Amino acid sequence: MAQEDMSFWQHVDVLRGSIIRCLAAVLVCGIAAFCFREPVFSAVFWPSQPSFPLWKIWPLTADQAALKLINTELTQQFIVHIEVAMLVGLIAVLPYILIELMRFIGPALYAHEKKAMLPIAIGGYTMFMIGVALAYFLIFPLTYRFLAAYQVSETVENLISLRSYISTLLMLAAMMGILCELPVICGILARLGLLKASAMRRYRKHAIVIILIIAAVITPTGDAFTLMIVALPIYLLYELSIGIVRLQTR
């Protein structure tokens, strides 16, 4: 039966099947990630280690290289293990989830809309992963380096908990992944006739101020050089968005 001839509840059944398949895929990949604990957590903790590539260029001090994580709750390590494994599973099956989504909504779209779906899905996934990589290889290490060594007084010793480390890493990865969707979102808005490249160029100065504020929030350091390192990729995303909007408008 064609989807356009299906009733509401039949559509619900199709959606339920898609959701079940996606959850099953996440569960299978999450279990696999759970079993490979050593390589997964070696990657998670790598930014805090002296062997991380960034620290070859920007060496850590002796105190920073000796930073250790602690755990203060009996079940916390096991819970974090499960959470990280499921998140790895989710990231691994994101392309499959996008395929299921396109299969479900595809029959309701016109031919030209179906044609635009695949580039949007591929572009959105690619830009999100670029944002995650940017957070992992640059922004999180710099943030961790500053905050882990920051002291209001020499009498206060920093003991970084496992939960705090993981939460900060995931927050920054998600934030940068969403920020890197800017070109995709601007392209969609331009395709709908809601955004013009001329307007983005007109408000470029305002955008630069907002970008600097975002960069300052992401990396709360007093180092102007670090601030510019974080702000530059976001500004390049804005310029890329202008180019994409101009192409879509044409």
Side-chain angles (χ1 to χ4, degrees), residues 133-155:
L134 184 63
Y136 179 79
F137 285 103
L138 180 65
I139 295 174
F140 173 73
L142 293 175
T143 302
Y144 175 80
R145 171 179 176 165
F146 173 77
L147 294 178
Y150 185 83
Q151 290 179 288
V152 294
S153 171
E154 293 183 356
T155 60

PDB file of all heavy atoms in Angstrom, residues 133-155:
ATOM      1  N   ALA A 133      34.404  17.379  16.195  1.00  0.00           N
ATOM      2  CA  ALA A 133      35.858  17.245  16.077  1.00  0.00           C
ATOM      3  C   ALA A 133      36.573  18.519  16.524  1.00  0.00           C
ATOM      4  O   ALA A 133      37.614  18.468  17.191  1.00  0.00           O
ATOM      5  CB  ALA A 133      36.226  16.909  14.632  1.00  0.00           C
ATOM      6  N   LEU A 134      36.019  19.675  16.167  1.00  0.00           N
ATOM      7  CA  LEU A 134      36.609  20.945  16.575  1.00  0.00           C
ATOM      8  C   LEU A 134      36.603  21.091  18.095  1.00  0.00           C
ATOM      9  O   LEU A 134      37.587  21.549  18.692  1.00  0.00           O
ATOM     10  CB  LEU A 134      35.837  22.095  15.922  1.00  0.00           C
ATOM     11  CG  LEU A 134      36.362  23.515  16.165  1.00  0.00           C
ATOM     12  CD1 LEU A 134      37.761  23.667  15.583  1.00  0.00           C
ATOM     13  CD2 LEU A 134      35.424  24.538  15.538  1.00  0.00           C
ATOM     14  N   ALA A 135      35.494  20.690  18.719  1.00  0.00           N
ATOM     15  CA  ALA A 135      35.414  20.743  20.184  1.00  0.00           C
ATOM     16  C   ALA A 135      36.420  19.782  20.819  1.00  0.00           C
ATOM     17  O   ALA A 135      37.087  20.118  21.798  1.00  0.00           O
ATOM     18  CB  ALA A 135      34.000  20.401  20.643  1.00  0.00           C
ATOM     19  N   TYR A 136      36.530  18.579  20.247  1.00  0.00           N
ATOM     20  CA  TYR A 136      37.394  17.541  20.827  1.00  0.00           C
ATOM     21  C   TYR A 136      38.876  17.887  20.696  1.00  0.00           C
ATOM     22  O   TYR A 136      39.650  17.721  21.649  1.00  0.00           O
ATOM     23  CB  TYR A 136      37.111  16.204  20.142  1.00  0.00           C
ATOM     24  CG  TYR A 136      37.966  15.055  20.630  1.00  0.00           C
ATOM     25  CD1 TYR A 136      37.675  14.399  21.826  1.00  0.00           C
ATOM     26  CD2 TYR A 136      39.074  14.630  19.894  1.00  0.00           C
ATOM     27  CE1 TYR A 136      38.460  13.353  22.274  1.00  0.00           C
ATOM     28  CE2 TYR A 136      39.855  13.581  20.337  1.00  0.00           C
ATOM     29  CZ  TYR A 136      39.547  12.948  21.524  1.00  0.00           C
ATOM     30  OH  TYR A 136      40.335  11.908  21.968  1.00  0.00           O
ATOM     31  N   PHE A 137      39.289  18.367  19.525  1.00  0.00           N
ATOM     32  CA  PHE A 137      40.707  18.571  19.266  1.00  0.00           C
ATOM     33  C   PHE A 137      41.212  19.957  19.651  1.00  0.00           C
ATOM     34  O   PHE A 137      42.423  20.149  19.776  1.00  0.00           O
ATOM     35  CB  PHE A 137      41.013  18.323  17.784  1.00  0.00           C
ATOM     36  CG  PHE A 137      41.026  16.869  17.416  1.00  0.00           C
ATOM     37  CD1 PHE A 137      39.958  16.306  16.738  1.00  0.00           C
ATOM     38  CD2 PHE A 137      42.095  16.057  17.755  1.00  0.00           C
ATOM     39  CE1 PHE A 137      39.954  14.966  16.403  1.00  0.00           C
ATOM     40  CE2 PHE A 137      42.112  14.713  17.420  1.00  0.00           C
ATOM     41  CZ  PHE A 137      41.040  14.158  16.743  1.00  0.00           C
ATOM     42  N   LEU A 138      40.311  20.923  19.840  1.00  0.00           N
ATOM     43  CA  LEU A 138      40.778  22.284  20.117  1.00  0.00           C
ATOM     44  C   LEU A 138      40.105  22.918  21.322  1.00  0.00           C
ATOM     45  O   LEU A 138      40.779  23.276  22.297  1.00  0.00           O
ATOM     46  CB  LEU A 138      40.558  23.157  18.875  1.00  0.00           C
ATOM     47  CG  LEU A 138      40.996  24.615  18.992  1.00  0.00           C
ATOM     48  CD1 LEU A 138      42.509  24.702  19.173  1.00  0.00           C
ATOM     49  CD2 LEU A 138      40.564  25.417  17.766  1.00  0.00           C
ATOM     50  N   ILE A 139      38.783  23.045  21.291  1.00  0.00           N
ATOM     51  CA  ILE A 139      38.099  23.862  22.290  1.00  0.00           C
ATOM     52  C   ILE A 139      38.087  23.205  23.667  1.00  0.00           C
ATOM     53  O   ILE A 139      38.412  23.842  24.673  1.00  0.00           O
ATOM     54  CB  ILE A 139      36.674  24.188  21.816  1.00  0.00           C
ATOM     55  CG1 ILE A 139      36.746  25.052  20.558  1.00  0.00           C
ATOM     56  CG2 ILE A 139      35.889  24.920  22.897  1.00  0.00           C
ATOM     57  CD1 ILE A 139      35.418  25.327  19.919  1.00  0.00           C
ATOM     58  N   PHE A 140      37.716  21.926  23.738  1.00  0.00           N
ATOM     59  CA  PHE A 140      37.695  21.276  25.044  1.00  0.00           C
ATOM     60  C   PHE A 140      39.080  21.203  25.690  1.00  0.00           C
ATOM     61  O   PHE A 140      39.209  21.495  26.888  1.00  0.00           O
ATOM     62  CB  PHE A 140      37.080  19.884  24.945  1.00  0.00           C
ATOM     63  CG  PHE A 140      37.182  19.110  26.230  1.00  0.00           C
ATOM     64  CD1 PHE A 140      36.390  19.439  27.310  1.00  0.00           C
ATOM     65  CD2 PHE A 140      38.091  18.070  26.375  1.00  0.00           C
ATOM     66  CE1 PHE A 140      36.487  18.748  28.512  1.00  0.00           C
ATOM     67  CE2 PHE A 140      38.191  17.369  27.566  1.00  0.00           C
ATOM     68  CZ  PHE A 140      37.390  17.708  28.637  1.00  0.00           C
ATOM     69  N   PRO A 141      40.137  20.811  24.963  1.00  0.00           N
ATOM     70  CA  PRO A 141      41.456  20.788  25.614  1.00  0.00           C
ATOM     71  C   PRO A 141      41.876  22.133  26.187  1.00  0.00           C
ATOM     72  O   PRO A 141      42.424  22.202  27.288  1.00  0.00           O
ATOM     73  CB  PRO A 141      42.392  20.340  24.477  1.00  0.00           C
ATOM     74  CG  PRO A 141      41.526  19.576  23.554  1.00  0.00           C
ATOM     75  CD  PRO A 141      40.187  20.254  23.599  1.00  0.00           C
ATOM     76  N   LEU A 142      41.616  23.216  25.424  1.00  0.00           N
ATOM     77  CA  LEU A 142      41.984  24.542  25.929  1.00  0.00           C
ATOM     78  C   LEU A 142      41.160  24.921  27.156  1.00  0.00           C
ATOM     79  O   LEU A 142      41.686  25.486  28.117  1.00  0.00           O
ATOM     80  CB  LEU A 142      41.790  25.590  24.824  1.00  0.00           C
ATOM     81  CG  LEU A 142      42.728  25.472  23.612  1.00  0.00           C
ATOM     82  CD1 LEU A 142      42.351  26.496  22.554  1.00  0.00           C
ATOM     83  CD2 LEU A 142      44.180  25.638  24.033  1.00  0.00           C
ATOM     84  N   THR A 143      39.856  24.606  27.107  1.00  0.00           N
ATOM     85  CA  THR A 143      38.989  24.893  28.251  1.00  0.00           C
ATOM     86  C   THR A 143      39.404  24.083  29.469  1.00  0.00           C
ATOM     87  O   THR A 143      39.505  24.604  30.593  1.00  0.00           O
ATOM     88  CB  THR A 143      37.523  24.574  27.892  1.00  0.00           C
ATOM     89  OG1 THR A 143      37.143  25.343  26.751  1.00  0.00           O
ATOM     90  CG2 THR A 143      36.595  24.905  29.045  1.00  0.00           C
ATOM     91  N   TYR A 144      39.663  22.799  29.252  1.00  0.00           N
ATOM     92  CA  TYR A 144      40.072  21.920  30.351  1.00  0.00           C
ATOM     93  C   TYR A 144      41.390  22.380  30.953  1.00  0.00           C
ATOM     94  O   TYR A 144      41.556  22.419  32.173  1.00  0.00           O
ATOM     95  CB  TYR A 144      40.187  20.490  29.824  1.00  0.00           C
ATOM     96  CG  TYR A 144      40.713  19.503  30.846  1.00  0.00           C
ATOM     97  CD1 TYR A 144      39.881  18.981  31.825  1.00  0.00           C
ATOM     98  CD2 TYR A 144      42.046  19.095  30.834  1.00  0.00           C
ATOM     99  CE1 TYR A 144      40.346  18.086  32.764  1.00  0.00           C
ATOM    100  CE2 TYR A 144      42.522  18.204  31.760  1.00  0.00           C
ATOM    101  CZ  TYR A 144      41.678  17.697  32.728  1.00  0.00           C
ATOM    102  OH  TYR A 144      42.153  16.818  33.654  1.00  0.00           O
ATOM    103  N   ARG A 145      42.328  22.743  30.081  1.00  0.00           N
ATOM    104  CA  ARG A 145      43.639  23.173  30.544  1.00  0.00           C
ATOM    105  C   ARG A 145      43.533  24.401  31.454  1.00  0.00           C
ATOM    106  O   ARG A 145      44.183  24.468  32.499  1.00  0.00           O
ATOM    107  CB  ARG A 145      44.529  23.487  29.347  1.00  0.00           C
ATOM    108  CG  ARG A 145      45.867  24.148  29.700  1.00  0.00           C
ATOM    109  CD  ARG A 145      46.691  24.407  28.452  1.00  0.00           C
ATOM    110  NE  ARG A 145      47.923  25.110  28.772  1.00  0.00           N
ATOM    111  CZ  ARG A 145      48.953  25.212  27.957  1.00  0.00           C
ATOM    112  NH1 ARG A 145      48.905  24.643  26.769  1.00  0.00           N
ATOM    113  NH2 ARG A 145      50.038  25.866  28.313  1.00  0.00           N
ATOM    114  N   PHE A 146      42.703  25.358  31.058  1.00  0.00           N
ATOM    115  CA  PHE A 146      42.568  26.582  31.843  1.00  0.00           C
ATOM    116  C   PHE A 146      41.833  26.337  33.158  1.00  0.00           C
ATOM    117  O   PHE A 146      42.309  26.706  34.237  1.00  0.00           O
ATOM    118  CB  PHE A 146      41.832  27.644  31.020  1.00  0.00           C
ATOM    119  CG  PHE A 146      41.491  28.878  31.803  1.00  0.00           C
ATOM    120  CD1 PHE A 146      42.456  29.831  32.084  1.00  0.00           C
ATOM    121  CD2 PHE A 146      40.196  29.074  32.273  1.00  0.00           C
ATOM    122  CE1 PHE A 146      42.134  30.970  32.806  1.00  0.00           C
ATOM    123  CE2 PHE A 146      39.883  30.208  33.008  1.00  0.00           C
ATOM    124  CZ  PHE A 146      40.849  31.161  33.275  1.00  0.00           C
ATOM    125  N   LEU A 147      40.649  25.700  33.064  1.00  0.00           N
ATOM    126  CA  LEU A 147      39.818  25.548  34.255  1.00  0.00           C
ATOM    127  C   LEU A 147      40.424  24.580  35.265  1.00  0.00           C
ATOM    128  O   LEU A 147      40.280  24.771  36.478  1.00  0.00           O
ATOM    129  CB  LEU A 147      38.423  25.065  33.848  1.00  0.00           C
ATOM    130  CG  LEU A 147      37.600  26.062  33.024  1.00  0.00           C
ATOM    131  CD1 LEU A 147      36.263  25.461  32.644  1.00  0.00           C
ATOM    132  CD2 LEU A 147      37.404  27.363  33.790  1.00  0.00           C
ATOM    133  N   ALA A 148      41.098  23.530  34.785  1.00  0.00           N
ATOM    134  CA  ALA A 148      41.677  22.559  35.715  1.00  0.00           C
ATOM    135  C   ALA A 148      42.838  23.149  36.500  1.00  0.00           C
ATOM    136  O   ALA A 148      43.135  22.706  37.623  1.00  0.00           O
ATOM    137  CB  ALA A 148      42.138  21.317  34.958  1.00  0.00           C
ATOM    138  N   ALA A 149      43.503  24.148  35.937  1.00  0.00           N
ATOM    139  CA  ALA A 149      44.646  24.757  36.612  1.00  0.00           C
ATOM    140  C   ALA A 149      44.284  26.057  37.327  1.00  0.00           C
ATOM    141  O   ALA A 149      45.109  26.609  38.060  1.00  0.00           O
ATOM    142  CB  ALA A 149      45.768  25.018  35.607  1.00  0.00           C
ATOM    143  N   TYR A 150      43.044  26.543  37.139  1.00  0.00           N
ATOM    144  CA  TYR A 150      42.652  27.825  37.727  1.00  0.00           C
ATOM    145  C   TYR A 150      42.406  27.674  39.230  1.00  0.00           C
ATOM    146  O   TYR A 150      41.746  26.730  39.671  1.00  0.00           O
ATOM    147  CB  TYR A 150      41.388  28.346  37.051  1.00  0.00           C
ATOM    148  CG  TYR A 150      40.976  29.717  37.521  1.00  0.00           C
ATOM    149  CD1 TYR A 150      41.563  30.853  36.977  1.00  0.00           C
ATOM    150  CD2 TYR A 150      40.022  29.871  38.527  1.00  0.00           C
ATOM    151  CE1 TYR A 150      41.192  32.120  37.414  1.00  0.00           C
ATOM    152  CE2 TYR A 150      39.654  31.129  38.960  1.00  0.00           C
ATOM    153  CZ  TYR A 150      40.244  32.248  38.401  1.00  0.00           C
ATOM    154  OH  TYR A 150      39.891  33.493  38.844  1.00  0.00           O
ATOM    155  N   GLN A 151      42.931  28.613  40.014  1.00  0.00           N
ATOM    156  CA  GLN A 151      42.754  28.597  41.462  1.00  0.00           C
ATOM    157  C   GLN A 151      42.448  30.004  41.962  1.00  0.00           C
ATOM    158  O   GLN A 151      43.103  30.971  41.557  1.00  0.00           O
ATOM    159  CB  GLN A 151      44.023  28.093  42.163  1.00  0.00           C
ATOM    160  CG  GLN A 151      44.313  26.614  41.971  1.00  0.00           C
ATOM    161  CD  GLN A 151      45.582  26.206  42.672  1.00  0.00           C
ATOM    162  OE1 GLN A 151      46.678  26.550  42.233  1.00  0.00           O
ATOM    163  NE2 GLN A 151      45.450  25.475  43.768  1.00  0.00           N
ATOM    164  N   VAL A 152      41.445  30.108  42.818  1.00  0.00           N
ATOM    165  CA  VAL A 152      41.159  31.394  43.452  1.00  0.00           C
ATOM    166  C   VAL A 152      42.133  31.648  44.597  1.00  0.00           C
ATOM    167  O   VAL A 152      42.340  32.787  45.009  1.00  0.00           O
ATOM    168  CB  VAL A 152      39.708  31.433  43.967  1.00  0.00           C
ATOM    169  CG1 VAL A 152      38.726  31.387  42.807  1.00  0.00           C
ATOM    170  CG2 VAL A 152      39.429  30.296  44.944  1.00  0.00           C
ATOM    171  N   SER A 153      42.725  30.563  45.109  1.00  0.00           N
ATOM    172  CA  SER A 153      43.691  30.664  46.185  1.00  0.00           C
ATOM    173  C   SER A 153      44.561  29.404  46.186  1.00  0.00           C
ATOM    174  O   SER A 153      44.106  28.326  45.779  1.00  0.00           O
ATOM    175  CB  SER A 153      42.973  30.799  47.541  1.00  0.00           C
ATOM    176  OG  SER A 153      43.901  30.694  48.604  1.00  0.00           O
ATOM    177  N   GLU A 154      45.801  29.534  46.619  1.00  0.00           N
ATOM    178  CA  GLU A 154      46.686  28.378  46.679  1.00  0.00           C
ATOM    179  C   GLU A 154      46.231  27.359  47.711  1.00  0.00           C
ATOM    180  O   GLU A 154      46.665  26.200  47.681  1.00  0.00           O
ATOM    181  CB  GLU A 154      48.110  28.842  46.996  1.00  0.00           C
ATOM    182  CG  GLU A 154      48.748  29.657  45.880  1.00  0.00           C
ATOM    183  CD  GLU A 154      50.173  30.034  46.190  1.00  0.00           C
ATOM    184  OE1 GLU A 154      50.635  29.714  47.311  1.00  0.00           O
ATOM    185  OE2 GLU A 154      50.828  30.662  45.326  1.00  0.00           O
ATOM    186  N   THR A 155      45.355  27.773  48.620  1.00  0.00           N
ATOM    187  CA  THR A 155      44.862  26.845  49.639  1.00  0.00           C
ATOM    188  C   THR A 155      43.772  25.919  49.107  1.00  0.00           C
ATOM    189  O   THR A 155      43.377  24.984  49.778  1.00  0.00           O
ATOM    190  CB  THR A 155      44.307  27.620  50.849  1.00  0.00           C
ATOM    191  OG1 THR A 155      43.228  28.448  50.416  1.00  0.00           O
ATOM    192  CG2 THR A 155      45.388  28.482  51.475  1.00  0.00           C
TER     193      THR A 155
END
